[in-house]
Amino acid sequence: MFFTFNFFRKKQRVYTKIESHIFGIITELLKVGSTDINVDELGGKYYLSNEEQHFKVTILSNDYVIRLTNTHDSVAEKYDKVFVEDVLRAVKEEKHRRMEVVYDSITNSIEKMAERLHNRLIESNEQEGKSVRRLETKDLENGQKVKY
């Protein structure tokens, strides 16, 4: 049984030296918060851009092409399908992680705003209740008060 399990295990892909460098560059870019990630899913295009480092990466998933561009050079090469899919997986995971962070931030802001609004409504209702009670008493001619 143990041998069958190892047989079905997916072998880890070993990248070429160039693929390892490119994967490393892209991974480092994804770690930097100032790197923008833009996606055109219909066109199968993924863009990484870091203006501070003057570096851009374009991934054409349909053609398995990766283009690296800096201020001096621009190089586009076709790579192995599995390698490009691994790169895209890393890009998509980071994009998803960033979207979750934004989503959590927006959710927290909405919850805080709703809580403040709720508290204001409670205070407002309490204030109205006090003023309504004051209006409900009326003085009679003999000095007694009548409640409605």
Side-chain angles (χ1 to χ4, degrees):
M1 182 94 179
F2 178 72
F3 294 107
T4 345
F5 180 75
N6 280 339
F7 177 72
F8 290 113
R9 233 183 198 175
K10 186 178 177 183
K11 293 181 182 177
Q12 245 185 339
R13 171 99 167 36
V14 178
Y15 300 133
T16 66
K17 191 173 186 178
I18 292 172
E19 290 172 339
S20 293
H21 284 306
I22 290 172
F23 195 84
I25 289 168
I26 292 171
T27 304
E28 289 302 314
L29 276 173
L30 291 172
K31 289 179 185 177
V32 179
S34 60
T35 299
D36 294 325
I37 303 171
N38 296 303
V39 177
D40 172 11
E41 296 249 3
L42 288 175
K45 297 176 185 172
Y46 298 80
Y47 306 97
L48 305 177
S49 175
N50 189 308
E51 296 298 323
E52 292 173 2
Q53 298 177 7
H54 308 288
F55 204 86
K56 295 179 183 179
V57 176
T58 304
I59 304 165
L60 307 173
S61 64
N62 298 337
D63 300 323
Y64 308 112
V65 171
I66 298 176
R67 175 184 297 279
L68 305 172
T69 306
N70 65 15
T71 53
H72 303 292
D73 299 310
S74 181
V75 177
E77 291 287 331
K78 186 170 184 150
Y79 292 95
D80 182 65
K81 175 184 177 182
V82 175
F83 171 70
V84 174
E85 288 174 351
D86 287 347
V87 169
L88 287 175
R89 189 175 305 110
V91 171
K92 289 176 183 179
E93 285 174 2
E94 178 61 18
K95 177 93 174 149
H96 182 72
R97 188 194 69 75
R98 289 182 183 188
M99 287 173 56
E100 281 182 348
V101 168
V102 170
Y103 175 78
D104 289 345
S105 174
I106 290 170
T107 302
N108 287 339
S109 295
I110 290 171
E111 287 174 355
K112 287 178 184 176
M113 185 174 28
E115 186 178 345
R116 285 193 304 268
L117 180 60
H118 179 75
N119 290 338
R120 284 185 186 157
L121 286 172
I122 289 172
E123 290 173 10
S124 175
N125 285 341
E126 288 173 354
Q127 292 290 333
E128 276 184 25
K130 289 178 184 176
S131 60
V132 167
R133 280 188 220 112
R134 284 190 210 120
L135 294 174
E136 287 177 348
T137 61
K138 185 175 180 183
D139 288 332
L140 293 175
E141 293 174 12
N142 61 4
Q144 293 180 336
K145 292 186 177 188
V146 175
K147 292 186 181 177
Y148 292 96

